[in-house]
Amino acid sequence: MAGIKEAKYIWMNGEFVPWKEAKIHVLTHALHYASSVFEGIRCYKTKKGSFVFRLKDHIKRLFDSAKIYRMEIPYSFDEILVACKRTVIENGLEECYIRPLVFRGYHSLGVNPLDCPVEVVIAVWEWGKYLGPEALEKGVDVMVSSWTRIAPNTVPPLAKASGNYANGQLIKMEAILYGFSEGIALDSMGFVSEGSGENIFAVKDGVIYTPFLDACILPGITRDTVIKLAREAGYEVREVMLPREFLYIADEVFFTGTAAEITPIKSIDKMIIGKGERGPVTKKLQEMFFSYIKGEVPDKYGWLEPLK
Ligand code: PMP
């Protein structure tokens, strides 16, 4: 896999630092205990200029994640919002991924993080199709993971915290090393939860199903977008507990996420889903989603945050 495409500057605690100089001490608390929360956001280039998709919702989730971990972000909501946009502009990018990270810095190395400073960095870089160049059209082959998703009241799934991705990495590595693009984790009850970095939807007999928050999912912003767009298009969307085998017999299954956007799934555990290609509902939702983010339809939900 290609390495990160470096940009010029990283916003570090209020200042722009050259990419290669954006460094921290090896005894930073977050490095040892995953005491950090973050966001993944996309900025899209459109005919009307660049827009950051649902920036306010992402920053809201960042502050929520920090609250769960009792971290006080030393900047206001608006300061982070402006800093995200300025980082894109400063780097001269028109379309990119935006990664704000809030972490406990260098001070002490006991488990107790409360005295460690809370630091904030924002990086941006160009990032293509997360699950491969053909994924959006052709779909991906995935497996149900042998790893269970983080359980309620353990590592809280509503926080987008770095610690969650210890579980995510196990799911992802297993899938990749077994020759799949992604893994689907089941929750601790055995119901469908989500991918290592995506929410999941299934379509059966024209109805769209997706796990509810009780399946230990991250409340995905793309998930919310797709639910709204699908209802707008007249589909019934049910948030339910999904048994694993429901995926096998679904007509269509797809992932949603900022990085993955809307990616069709063509097989699960080597079982062909539907016709083994992108289905009509997935295609329709992709069309609605991409025309929205490209600014081709009116921004009725106020999701397009102008970069400038
Ligand atoms: N679940 C997990 C575990 C994720 O990491 C992501 C990516 N942030 C998602 C779901 C999708 O969330 P969003 O649509 O907000 O990117």
Side-chain angles (χ1 to χ4, degrees):
M1 199 183 154
I4 195 164
K5 196 161 178 204
E6 295 181 9
K8 291 184 214 141
Y9 304 104
I10 291 180
W11 189 94
M12 237 182 143
N13 299 315
E15 280 169 40
F16 286 108
V17 176
W19 183 279
K20 288 210 187 308
E21 286 165 33
K23 292 181 181 163
I24 54 162
H25 197 275
V26 291
L27 298 184
T28 295
H29 198 273
L31 189 59
H32 296 249
Y33 302 119
S35 37
S36 46
V37 298
F38 66 97
E39 269 308 318
I41 310 166
R42 270 193 197 262
C43 174
Y44 289 102
K45 183 181 170 189
T46 78
K47 290 198 186 90
K48 299 174 204 154
S50 292
F51 292 91
V52 185
F53 189 62
R54 300 192 69 172
L55 179 59
K56 291 196 178 90
D57 295 310
H58 280 282
I59 295 175
K60 174 83 178 56
R61 190 170 65 185
L62 183 70
F63 275 81
D64 286 348
S65 301
K67 182 176 186 187
I68 292 171
Y69 280 96
R70 301 176 190 273
M71 296 164 108
E72 198 159 329
I73 300 181
Y75 301 94
S76 69
F77 184 96
D78 287 341
E79 283 170 332
I80 299 289
L81 184 121
V82 170
C84 284
K85 295 200 230 178
R86 273 195 60 211
T87 310
V88 178
I89 295 167
E90 204 74 19
N91 280 288
L93 296 173
E94 295 179 299
E95 185 159 279
C96 62
Y97 183 82
I98 308 172
R99 166 61 57 87
L101 173 79
V102 178
F103 65 99
R104 304 273 195 182
Y106 175 84
H107 176 71
S108 53
L109 261 193
V111 171
N112 174 12
L114 292 171
D115 292 332
C116 294
V118 175
E119 305 198 31
V120 184
V121 299
I122 303 169
V124 301
W125 65 89
E126 288 177 67
W127 210 1
K129 300 303 167 198
Y130 184 63
L131 294 172
E134 292 195 324
L136 292 183
E137 210 186 305
K138 300 263 185 273
V140 290
D141 299 302
V142 307
M143 64 178 280
V144 172
S145 185
S146 70
W147 294 100
T148 298
R149 177 80 181 139
I150 47 178
N153 211 29
T154 59
V155 186
L158 298 194
K160 189 168 170 64
S162 302
N164 304 14
Y165 292 84
N167 177 251
Q169 288 174 68
L170 292 170
I171 294 162
K172 187 76 181 183
M173 287 190 292
E174 179 185 59
I176 296 292
L177 295 174
Y178 285 11
F180 297 95
S181 299
E182 183 57 286
I184 300 165
L186 306 179
D187 68 15
S188 53
M189 299 280 288
F191 292 98
V192 175
S193 178
E194 61 179 353
S196 71
E198 308 86 7
N199 293 112
I200 193 164
F201 287 75
V203 184
K204 192 160 176 60
D205 300 326
V207 177
I208 302 175
Y209 299 85
T210 194
F212 191 57
L213 299 190
D214 56 7
C216 285
I217 61 166
L218 179 79
I221 288 165
T222 321
R223 173 185 182 276
D224 180 71
T225 303
V226 165
I227 291 174
K228 289 204 169 73
L229 294 179
R231 288 190 174 141
E232 194 184 301
Y235 292 108
E236 184 187 343
V237 183
R238 295 191 200 154
E239 293 175 85
V240 289
M241 289 161 93
L242 280 181
R244 165 185 189 161
E245 65 276 20
F246 188 88
L247 299 180
Y248 300 143
I249 58 173
D251 302 323
E252 302 176 33
V253 181
F254 60 87
F255 280 136
T256 65
T258 296
E261 295 169 317
I262 300 176
T263 299
I265 293 175
K266 62 178 159 51
S267 79
I268 304 174
D269 296 339
K270 304 257 179 196
M271 263 192 265
I272 301 293
I273 304 307
K275 295 203 173 83
E277 57 185 37
R278 175 175 62 183
V281 178
T282 311
K283 186 160 183 278
K284 165 86 183 152
L285 293 170
Q286 281 184 336
E287 282 163 5
M288 290 182 82
F289 178 75
F290 287 114
S291 48
Y292 202 108
I293 59 175
K294 285 188 197 135
E296 292 164 359
V297 292
D299 181 15
K300 64 191 273 195
Y301 300 106
W303 286 339
L304 302 182
E305 179 79 30
L307 187 60
K308 290 186 179 157

